[in-house]
């Protein structure tokens, strides 16, 4: 088997003292499975792709936010105009006396890696990341201090404006795209009625469809199908549920239709996909 690629700190940080750097991915191409000598914050600005984190697939698009530890194993696949920023940092180099443990991994809960960042949060994070990118390229003592202050500011903004897709009450008012994303991801196992959603939130369906496509590069139906397939891939990898049960859990009423859609997107049937990862696990033992 091919060894997992290790990304080294010296290739991304300008000196052994600098704690932070920004790796701009405009666009992010497909990237093989890898780990790091550093931690990362990943913020997706536009487009879409498949992010596989610790063997769990996520269909990512604008507003998706990930906190990655050095030991995390991840890759990017099937990318389409995917634009993101990687904020790279080495925890052991941080000197500021701040409550980093509440802002950056490792968090108390194991599932706190993936969040959504509200539209307002994205607007506040952008200028901080721009300044952070500029300062982190320098090596003088003032820049070293300022980059750490900017990282702290960014971490606070992210915590203030992030939200879990299954907790819509955390959303601020008036965030149309965020409301829709939360509704789509929370309703993977059932029917989603866009007309009813727009009526409930007093939104214009046509305008919402246009906004969604501009920001994600996908139609709403395509995105919903993709996140359902990602959910199915995760269950095929990690569970022993029957394929018909997985289809139902992921919002497909007909297991035969699920198999057809899955094969078209993945290039193999659900059964073949499951066998592929069972064989990989057995070979790695």
């Amino acid at each position: 088997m091919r060894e997992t690629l290790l990304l080294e700190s010296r290739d991304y940080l300008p000196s052994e003292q600098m704690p932070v750097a920004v790796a701009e991915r405009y666009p992010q191409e497909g990237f093989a499975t890898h780990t790091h000598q550093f931690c990362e914050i990943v913020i997706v600005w536009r487009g879409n792709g498949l992010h596989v984190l610790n063997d769990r697939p996520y269909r990512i698009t604008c507003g998706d936010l990930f906190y990655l530890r050095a030991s995390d194993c991840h890759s990017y696949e099937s990318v389409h105009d995917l634009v993101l920023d990687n904020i790279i940092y080495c925890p052991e180099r941080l000197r500021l006396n701040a409550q980093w443990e509440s802002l950056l991994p490792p968090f108390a809960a194991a599932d706190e890696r993936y969040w959504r960042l509200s539209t307002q949060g994205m607007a506040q994070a952008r200028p901080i990341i721009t300044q952070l990118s500029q300062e982190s390229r320098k090596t003088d003592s003032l820049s070293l201090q300022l980059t750490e202050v900017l990282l702290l500011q960014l971490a606070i903004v992210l915590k203030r404006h992030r939200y879990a897709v299954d907790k819509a009450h955390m959303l601020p008012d008036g965030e149309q795209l965020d409301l829709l994303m939360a509704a789509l991801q929370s309703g993977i196992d059932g029917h989603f009625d866009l007309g009813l959603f727009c009526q409930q939130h007093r939104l214009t369906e046509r305008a919402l469809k246009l906004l969604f496509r501009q920001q994600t590069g996908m139609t709403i139906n395509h995105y919903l199908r993709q996140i359902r397939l990602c959910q199915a891939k995760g269950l095929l990898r990690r569970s022993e549920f029957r394929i018909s049960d997985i289809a139902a859990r992921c919002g497909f009423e007909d297991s035969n239709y699920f198999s057809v859609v899955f094969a078209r997107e993945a290039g193999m049937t659900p059964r073949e996909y499951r066998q592929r990862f069972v064989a990989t696990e057995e070979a790695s033992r």
Side-chain angles (χ1 to χ4, degrees):
M1 294 177 61
R2 182 182 298 178
E3 291 187 10
T4 300
L5 180 66
L6 174 65
L7 304 187
E8 300 185 21
S9 301
R10 62 184 180 183
D11 294 327
Y12 293 87
L13 295 154
S15 71
E16 293 184 357
Q17 290 74 41
M18 178 59 71
V20 189
V22 177
E24 301 170 347
R25 306 300 188 193
Y26 291 9
Q28 170 68 62
E29 304 291 346
F31 204 113
T33 303
H34 60 280
T35 58
H36 328 80
Q37 289 181 335
F38 46 80
C39 298
E40 281 185 331
I41 301 171
V42 178
I43 303 175
V44 183
W45 301 111
R46 190 178 71 244
N48 63 88
L50 186 67
H51 183 206
V52 182
L53 172 59
N54 295 331
D55 206 33
R56 178 175 178 177
Y58 297 85
R59 173 57 62 173
I60 58 173
T61 190
C62 67
D64 281 328
L65 169 66
F66 291 87
Y67 296 89
L68 306 182
R69 295 181 298 192
S71 58
D72 287 330
C73 187
H74 71 134
S75 64
Y76 295 96
E77 306 169 11
S78 305
V79 295
H80 303 283
D81 192 30
L82 183 62
V83 174
L84 55 81
D85 276 325
N86 288 333
I87 294 84
I88 294 166
Y89 65 96
C90 295
E92 69 277 7
R93 299 184 187 184
L94 298 175
R95 298 290 179 263
L96 198 62
N97 185 20
Q99 295 180 337
W100 294 112
E101 66 279 0
S102 68
L103 300 169
L104 299 173
F107 297 120
D111 60 350
E112 290 196 35
R113 307 296 189 82
Y114 168 61
W115 296 81
R116 292 270 314 155
L117 183 60
S118 71
T119 303
Q120 184 179 357
M122 292 177 72
Q124 292 189 22
R126 274 186 182 276
I128 301 173
I129 294 172
T130 297
Q131 187 178 2
L132 184 57
S133 177
Q134 295 169 351
E135 292 296 334
S136 63
R137 296 169 187 165
K138 306 171 185 178
T139 56
D140 61 280
S141 60
L142 290 179
S143 293
L144 288 172
Q145 296 175 64
L146 184 53
T147 53
E148 192 167 346
V149 171
L150 289 167
L151 177 63
L152 177 60
Q153 184 181 0
L154 177 63
I156 292 171
V157 166
L158 296 182
K159 184 169 183 178
R160 173 175 287 176
H161 294 283
R162 72 191 186 189
Y163 64 92
V165 294
D166 60 345
K167 296 179 180 178
H169 65 274
M170 295 175 65
L171 281 167
D173 293 332
E175 303 271 13
Q176 297 183 16
L177 191 60
D178 302 320
L179 285 168
L180 178 57
M181 286 290 190
L184 290 171
Q185 295 200 31
S186 298
I188 288 177
D189 58 348
H191 173 70
F192 177 75
D193 188 327
L194 179 61
L196 179 60
F197 172 84
C198 289
Q199 182 180 348
Q200 290 173 338
H201 296 283
R202 299 181 180 179
L203 302 173
T204 303
E205 185 172 335
R206 183 176 179 182
L208 188 59
K209 286 181 176 179
L210 180 60
L211 174 64
F212 190 91
R213 185 150 198 165
Q214 288 174 339
Q215 296 297 317
T216 69
M218 296 178 284
T219 65
I220 294 172
N221 285 337
H222 184 208
Y223 176 70
L224 182 57
R225 184 169 64 249
Q226 290 296 319
I227 59 177
R228 283 173 169 166
L229 289 171
C230 272
Q231 175 87 347
K233 287 177 179 178
L235 291 173
L236 287 167
R237 291 182 189 217
R238 304 188 309 274
S239 78
E240 296 182 358
F241 292 132
R242 294 183 303 175
I243 291 175
S244 59
D245 292 336
I246 290 176
R249 285 170 176 264
C250 298
F252 293 91
E253 296 180 1
D254 187 306
S255 61
N256 290 327
Y257 175 70
F258 163 69
S259 295
V260 170
V261 172
F262 189 97
R264 186 172 64 230
E265 296 286 344
M268 64 186 76
T269 67
R271 182 170 285 102
E272 290 170 340
Y273 185 87
R274 169 174 273 172
Q275 290 173 345
R276 170 187 170 190
F277 286 97
V278 169
T280 300
E281 288 183 2
E282 291 176 349
S284 63
R285 289 172 185 169

